[in-house]
Amino acid sequence: MSYKLQKNYDSLDRVEKWDTETQEVVKKRIADELGDALSYNFLTEREGEILELLTDALIPQKKGASYIKIPEIIDRELEKNIKGVRYGKNPWPRVFYQTGLADFSAQAEAISGKPIEDFSTPRIEKYISDIFEKDPNDFLRRFVRKVLSDATAIYFSHPASWNAIGFPGPAFPEGYAHLDCDKTFDWEPKYEK
C-alpha cells in the first residue's frame, strides 16, 4: 500500500514560510532548472542531445514548463570539473560522459544503420535493455548505470518532484517535531492511500 500527499497540497505553496536561504535556493532551482530549452557549456550540442534522449528514456518526463532539465544539470556539473568519486574501472566523470555518449551513439548506429537521434523512445528503451541483457560491452553498462544514478538523484531531489514523491517540503524554521508520534502540525499535509 502506498501513500501520497493530499490532492490539493503543493509543497511549494509554503515557500514564503521558509528561511531566506532556503527560499533563494529553491526559487533559483525552479527558475533555472525547469523548461524544455536546454543549453550546454561542457558537452557539445550533439552530446547534449544524445544525453537528453538517454535521460528521457530512463526517466520519462513531459516536455514543457515543468520539465526538469536533467541533461543540462549534468552538463553544469561536468563543466565544474570536480573530480568527485570514481568507481572501479570508470574514468573521471568528464571522460566517462564524453566517451560513454560517443560509444552509446556509435553502437546504436552500428546495430541499426541509422543515428540514435532517429530512434523512437521505445527503440531507445529496447536498446538500453539490450545493453544490460545481451551486450558484452561492460563499459556501456557501467555508463548507462552512471547516467541512471545521476539522473535519478537529480530528478528526485528537485523541488518540482517533491509532490510526486510525497515530500511536503522543508520545514525550517518550524521543524518536524512530531516525526514518530503520529501527530502533525496544522501546516503539514495529510496523506492519502
Side-chain angles (χ1 to χ4, degrees):
M1 182 177 307
S2 64
Y3 292 86
K4 60 183 180 177
L5 292 174
Q6 63 195 43
K7 289 183 180 119
N8 62 348
Y9 187 86
D10 185 348
S11 302
L12 299 176
D13 283 347
R14 300 192 67 257
V15 70
E16 300 304 326
K17 302 279 188 190
W18 304 333
D19 64 294
T20 307
E21 292 82 7
T22 303
Q23 287 181 37
E24 290 171 3
V25 168
V26 170
K27 286 177 181 178
K28 182 167 177 32
R29 291 192 71 194
I30 294 293
D32 295 350
E33 298 174 352
L34 293 180
D36 53 9
L38 302 173
S39 63
Y40 304 99
N41 295 320
F42 174 72
L43 299 172
T44 65
E45 283 300 315
R46 182 161 194 274
E47 289 170 336
E49 288 173 16
I50 295 165
L51 181 58
E52 184 179 351
L53 291 170
L54 177 54
T55 58
D56 285 353
L58 294 171
I59 301 180
Q61 298 184 73
K62 290 183 181 176
K63 295 287 184 180
S66 63
Y67 177 82
I68 300 171
K69 299 179 182 184
I70 295 171
E72 189 176 296
I73 296 167
I74 290 172
D75 176 74
R76 198 176 316 137
E77 290 302 310
L78 293 172
E79 183 184 22
K80 293 178 187 174
N81 197 24
I82 297 170
K83 294 284 186 180
V85 176
R86 199 167 56 103
Y87 296 100
K89 299 182 236 176
N90 295 349
W92 290 108
R94 283 180 151 196
V95 173
F96 199 21
Y97 265 91
Q98 287 183 312
T99 306
L101 290 167
D103 286 3
F104 185 76
S105 63
Q107 182 168 309
E109 189 167 343
I111 292 169
S112 69
K114 61 182 183 177
I116 195 154
E117 293 90 342
D118 293 344
F119 281 31
S120 65
T121 301
R123 178 67 185 104
I124 292 173
E125 291 169 349
K126 171 80 169 94
Y127 172 49
I128 292 168
S129 177
D130 289 348
I131 287 172
F132 285 102
E133 294 175 9
K134 302 174 186 174
D135 191 347
N137 185 342
D138 181 52
F139 178 81
L140 265 182
R141 277 197 301 271
R142 287 184 285 122
F143 172 68
V144 173
R145 276 192 193 107
K146 170 70 172 153
V147 174
L148 178 60
S149 173
D150 291 349
T152 302
I154 290 166
Y155 181 82
F156 287 107
S157 68
H158 200 279
S161 67
W162 288 348
N163 290 337
I165 65 171
F167 178 58
F172 186 78
E174 296 105 335
Y176 288 113
H178 302 303
L179 285 178
D180 295 324
C181 302
D182 251 1
K183 298 177 185 174
T184 60
F185 293 103
D186 55 356
W187 59 265
E188 289 183 86
K190 307 294 182 252
Y191 289 87
E192 300 172 345
K193 290 184 182 181

